[in-house]
Amino acid sequence: MSRRTGDHPVELILDPYSYDFHEDPYPYYRRLRAEAPLYRNEERNFWALSRHADVLKGFRNSTALSNRLGVSLDPVSRTPEAYRTMSFLAMDDPGHLRLRTLVSKGFTPRRIRELEARVTELTDEHLTAALRADSFDYIADFAGKLPMDVMSELVGVPTEDRAQIRRLADTVMHREDGVADLPPSAMTAAVDLLVYYADMVRHRRSHPTDDLTSALIAAEIDGDRLRDDEIMAFLFLMVVAGNETTTKLLGNAVYWGWKNPDQITAVHADPTLVAPWIEETLRYDTSSQILARTVVEDIELHGTTLQPGDVVLLLPGSANRDERMFDDPDTYRIGRPIGSKLLSFGSGAHFCLGAHLARMEARVALTELVNRVESYEIDETHSLRVHSSNVRGFAALPMTVKRA
């Protein structure tokens, strides 16, 4: 985005619903960090924080910045009922802590570890099918299928229903160009997902199995148990937030690997670089770009006092490219030191519960890919981006491969 046209400065406008912004948000972020670290959009009625230090503080300041109205800018989603679809992500303590603790009784590190063997099987199944052709859509034939199947495997969705659940999740996330709200199709899909999970939870209560849904039903702390609607909301959160962001991570990784051939050549030569490849992708082009918070008490930022009711957007996509925190941040460099500076999974009380699962899935999937594919080319002309107010990635990514 040029800063000047002729002798006239170009106005800095951050619009999370703009298709131009979806194509490349990083020039916008760069200007925000330099010119407006506390940015105000009067038309959309929000503030935005773009520097790493501010985004980190925002994630950790759950006293002044509330999750209670959810984390989306979409007006229809910003209600006290947001928790019904976004679970504890749309709660503050003590309710957030109670629900997250109960959910953690079922969503355990051991369950994730035990799932890895099945993730490997599903990866082999989908990759083998995709590699029957020299050219295929990496998203439609692999990256869009695997995370949803892993999630469905985890929670207990039958194989025959998984394509339907994947379609509904995609529809929930789609946004129309410039439209600042959920389209009717997304609202219908959200209702259909909740109805499906309601039926599944009711069935599991009388027919328990060894899946996560049954474990959530059985979870108990001092007599406190999860209600059906709480389990449904968590399942909805998993399928929309967890599945979508992992699909986008897998797509972003292969895209930026292709755009940086020297980097991806090193990974093909040494598959132990897959983990650093994932971390650099999470930093360079994270799936989760924007998260909203609601001000609940006066807070001063960059000389301005924000008041209760104000909406603040935290921009981890910008924070991960902040030149104050990362050396040469606009260069994609696998193996750079990142560590705890990464904000793709948030920080503080609301740190992403599924971070370990996402990293494990990506590691298994991308390791298998580099082991079975010597090189690949992406048809960028026919690639399509997802249009979402907070998630960044590809809806289509045509690929031609040379098998190993």
Side-chain angles (χ1 to χ4, degrees):
M1 178 177 59
S2 174
R3 289 189 56 181
R4 304 187 72 85
T5 301
D7 294 327
H8 303 287
V10 175
E11 184 181 4
L12 175 56
I13 299 176
L14 173 66
D15 183 359
Y17 296 95
S18 162
Y19 276 26
D20 181 69
F21 175 75
H22 298 165
E23 286 299 318
D24 187 3
Y26 296 104
Y28 293 85
Y29 292 156
R30 193 177 306 117
R31 284 191 61 187
L32 287 174
R33 293 192 302 269
E35 302 171 32
L38 177 64
Y39 169 82
R40 176 65 182 169
N41 185 311
E42 292 289 350
E43 180 183 358
R44 300 290 193 199
N45 193 29
F46 67 79
W47 300 90
L49 291 170
S50 52
R51 292 180 180 173
H52 189 283
D54 292 329
V55 175
L56 177 60
K57 288 178 183 176
F59 278 136
R60 293 182 173 178
N61 188 356
S62 55
T63 301
L65 299 179
S66 169
N67 282 50
R68 191 175 63 84
L69 299 182
V71 298
S72 171
L73 186 61
D74 300 338
V76 74
S77 301
R78 295 196 57 74
T79 75
E81 303 294 305
Y83 70 91
R84 295 189 181 278
T85 54
M86 297 308 286
S87 187
F88 51 71
L89 191 58
M91 291 182 177
D92 297 327
D93 289 337
H96 159 263
L97 180 60
R98 170 200 167 258
L99 190 54
R100 186 175 176 118
T101 303
L102 277 167
V103 163
S104 297
K105 298 284 285 186
F107 193 69
T108 61
R110 177 180 177 181
R111 185 176 293 275
I112 302 308
R113 287 194 302 271
E114 292 175 347
L115 186 65
E116 183 167 342
R118 183 60 180 144
V119 173
T120 302
E121 292 175 359
L122 289 168
T123 297
D124 177 70
E125 175 185 326
H126 290 307
L127 196 55
T128 297
L131 290 175
R132 291 192 181 112
D134 292 333
S135 298
F136 56 91
D137 184 341
Y138 176 78
I139 302 298
D141 297 328
F142 182 63
K145 288 183 175 180
L146 178 64
M148 179 58 76
D149 281 359
V150 170
M151 203 66 69
S152 293
E153 186 82 21
L154 181 64
V155 305
V157 174
T159 303
E160 60 271 20
D161 293 345
R162 293 179 184 179
Q164 173 196 0
I165 298 299
R166 190 183 311 124
R167 177 184 59 80
L168 291 173
D170 287 343
T171 305
V172 167
M173 298 303 294
H174 181 75
R175 297 294 178 271
E176 301 298 331
D177 190 8
V179 177
D181 214 337
L182 285 172
S185 58
M187 289 187 278
T188 300
V191 171
D192 289 345
L193 267 177
L194 285 171
V195 168
Y196 181 90
Y197 286 132
D199 290 341
M200 191 170 79
V201 171
R202 279 195 295 268
H203 184 263
R204 285 296 187 280
R205 285 208 178 272
S206 56
H207 300 84
T209 64
D210 61 353
D211 57 37
L212 177 60
T213 302
S214 297
L216 294 174
I217 290 170
E220 180 267 332
I221 299 176
D222 296 332
D224 188 17
R225 293 179 180 272
L226 293 164
R227 303 188 308 269
D228 282 10
D229 64 310
E230 292 174 329
I231 298 172
M232 289 160 47
F234 179 69
L235 297 180
F236 187 95
L237 173 64
M238 291 271 287
V239 77
V240 173
N243 166 69
E244 279 299 307
T245 51
T246 305
T247 290
K248 305 308 177 278
L249 168 59
L250 292 174
N252 292 342
V254 300
Y255 176 77
W256 290 113
W258 172 72
K259 293 287 281 187
N260 295 271
D262 60 322
Q263 299 292 299
I264 196 62
T265 297
V267 179
H268 280 285
D270 181 6
T272 64
L273 292 175
V274 164
W277 181 20
I278 293 166
E279 295 305 298
E280 176 64 349
T281 302
L282 286 166
R283 183 202 68 82
Y284 189 80
D285 198 15
T286 185
S287 307
S288 182
Q289 292 273 320
I290 298 174
L291 292 159
R293 296 289 190 269
T294 304
V295 177
V296 291
E297 61 181 47
D298 285 358
I299 180 173
E300 184 170 329
L301 296 166
H302 295 278
T304 299
T305 300
L306 276 58
Q307 300 176 337
D310 285 348
V311 177
V312 179
L313 301 187
L314 304 178
L315 309 179
S318 174
N320 286 336
R321 293 270 198 113
D322 191 343
E323 50 284 325
R324 296 161 190 79
M325 185 59 59
F326 298 99
D327 176 52
D328 195 15
D330 293 325
T331 297
Y332 188 74
R333 189 169 71 240
I334 295 171
R336 73 161 70 229
I338 299 174
S340 62
K341 295 185 291 185
L342 185 73
L343 293 183
S344 300
F345 295 112
S347 185
H350 284 277
F351 183 82
C352 177
L353 190 63
H356 291 307
L357 175 60
R359 283 183 165 117
M360 182 269 283
E361 282 185 67
R363 173 176 51 79
V364 171
L366 294 174
T367 298
E368 188 68 9
L369 180 71
V370 298
N371 282 337
R372 297 177 63 174
V373 171
E374 181 178 317
S375 62
Y376 61 88
E377 291 291 328
I378 287 174
D379 180 0
E380 191 164 17
T381 303
H382 294 96
S383 298
L384 296 173
R385 285 202 169 274
V386 167
H387 294 295
S388 165
S389 57
N390 65 314
V391 173
R392 177 168 162 80
F394 290 93
L397 205 59
M399 173 187 288
T400 299
V401 301
K402 179 181 179 181
R403 296 173 189 80

